Structure formats: C-alpha cells, structure tokens
C-alpha cells in the first residue's frame, strides 16, 4: 500500500511524501475547485505510473471527519473499473459535491481528510490523502482548503 499522508492530531498535522512503493509512483494531484465552499463540486486529477499491470482497478474517493470519539467516513464516489498497463496514466474524478447530510455542521469546522485509493480486487494498492482545513467564511458558510501531499 502506498500511503501519502500522515494525520496525527487535528492541531498537529504533518504531510509525508513517500509515493514510490509497490510499483506505484504518483507524480501529480490536482484538486479543483480549491479553495471552495464545502458543498461545491469536487474534481480530482491524478497522474501516476505503474511498474506492472493492474487488473480490475478503480479509484475510491472518501472524505473523513474524525472527532475525538467519533469518525464519519463519507463515500464521495468511485471510478469505473479498468485494466491498467504498466506505464503512465491519468485518473479523472468528478463529484457534484461531498454528501455530508448526517454530519453536524459544527463537527465539520475542523480538519478533515480526503482520500483517493487505487483499489484492485478489493485491496488498496495506493492511497493519496489531502488534509482538508474547513473554516467558516465571512458569509457563515463552511469553506474547504485541501492540501496536496505532493506540494
């Protein structure tokens, strides 16, 4: 499993870049719009290289709100399954928004975590994590700022 994030405590966030493990090299992550209102659409583009073919793979995107005694994991979406040959690829993902219906607004005004996991045969091969700072804007609406571990 390639993991490109470390989230310790909400106050003490550290980003780690270790993106070449098990034949997966993630070279670019683009998140848009960013920054944006929490309810805005979400677009991801990931450039990556594989050292060997991967069959039946898809990317799963999740958003996690992690409180002291509670954790909410929201499934944002998944790409279609496909077979990847060895070499360079680009993953494109779009969601109309992050459905946070059951999560209290006050819990969101914190640090969250967006993850995109390359999965094959129900096993995660690579995971990219973007720590997300959520703050209340001047208009009272929640704003998100997602930080790429590659920057």
């Amino acid at each position: 499993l390639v993991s490109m994030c470390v989230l310790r405590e909400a106050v003490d966030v550290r980003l780690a870049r270790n993106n070449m493990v098990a034949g997966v090299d993630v070279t670019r992550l683009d998140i848009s719009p960013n920054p944006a209102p929490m309810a805005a659409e979400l677009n991801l583009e990931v450039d990556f290289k594989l050292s060997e073919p991967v069959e039946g793979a898809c990317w799963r995107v999740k958003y996690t709100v992690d409180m002291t005694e509670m954790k909410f994991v929201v499934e944002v979406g998944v790409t279609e399954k496909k077979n990847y040959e060895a070499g360079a690829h680009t993953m494109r993902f779009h969601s109309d928004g992050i459905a946070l219906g059951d999560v209290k607004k006050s819990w969101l005004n914190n640090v969250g975590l967006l993850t995109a996991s390359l999965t094959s045969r129900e096993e995660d091969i690579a995971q990219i994590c973007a720590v997300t700072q959520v703050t209340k804007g001047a208009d009272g609406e929640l704003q998100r700022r997602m930080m790429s571990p590659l920057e």
Side-chain angles (χ1 to χ4, degrees):
L1 171 67
V2 176
S3 186
M4 296 178 49
C5 67
V6 176
L7 176 61
R8 296 211 170 110
E9 297 174 12
V11 180
D12 184 28
V13 176
R14 301 281 186 253
L15 293 175
R17 182 178 182 193
N18 180 11
N19 63 338
M20 187 59 183
V21 179
V24 180
D25 183 14
V26 176
T27 57
R28 183 180 72 91
L29 169 62
D30 182 60
I31 304 167
S32 67
N34 192 37
M38 194 65 197
E41 70 176 324
L42 176 65
N43 298 292
L44 300 177
E45 276 194 18
V46 178
D47 291 345
F48 63 102
K49 295 177 187 172
L50 297 172
S51 63
E52 57 191 60
V54 178
E55 294 183 0
C58 64
W59 286 85
R60 297 185 187 281
V61 180
K62 299 177 184 178
Y63 184 77
T64 302
V65 178
D66 198 357
M67 303 295 293
T68 305
E69 296 180 17
M70 291 176 267
K71 181 187 256 187
F72 295 93
V73 179
V74 177
E75 301 282 340
V76 180
V78 62
T79 63
E80 290 185 26
K81 286 187 178 183
K82 65 184 284 185
N83 297 329
Y84 289 105
E85 296 297 323
H89 302 276
T90 298
M91 179 278 285
R92 289 177 181 86
F93 173 84
H94 169 81
S95 174
D96 291 336
I98 301 172
L100 297 165
D102 293 340
V103 182
K104 290 184 182 180
K105 208 172 187 179
S106 61
W107 296 344
L108 295 172
N109 194 13
N110 202 332
V111 174
L113 191 65
L114 180 77
T115 59
S117 302
L118 177 60
T119 304
S120 175
R121 298 185 179 109
E122 303 305 316
E123 184 177 325
D124 287 349
I125 299 169
Q127 184 178 68
I128 305 165
C129 302
V131 174
T132 305
Q133 181 65 54
V134 180
T135 56
K136 193 177 284 188
D139 60 359
E141 292 300 313
L142 294 176
Q143 301 289 314
R144 68 180 191 226
R145 181 173 178 271
M146 297 178 169
M147 295 166 265
S148 170
L150 300 177
E151 295 177 359

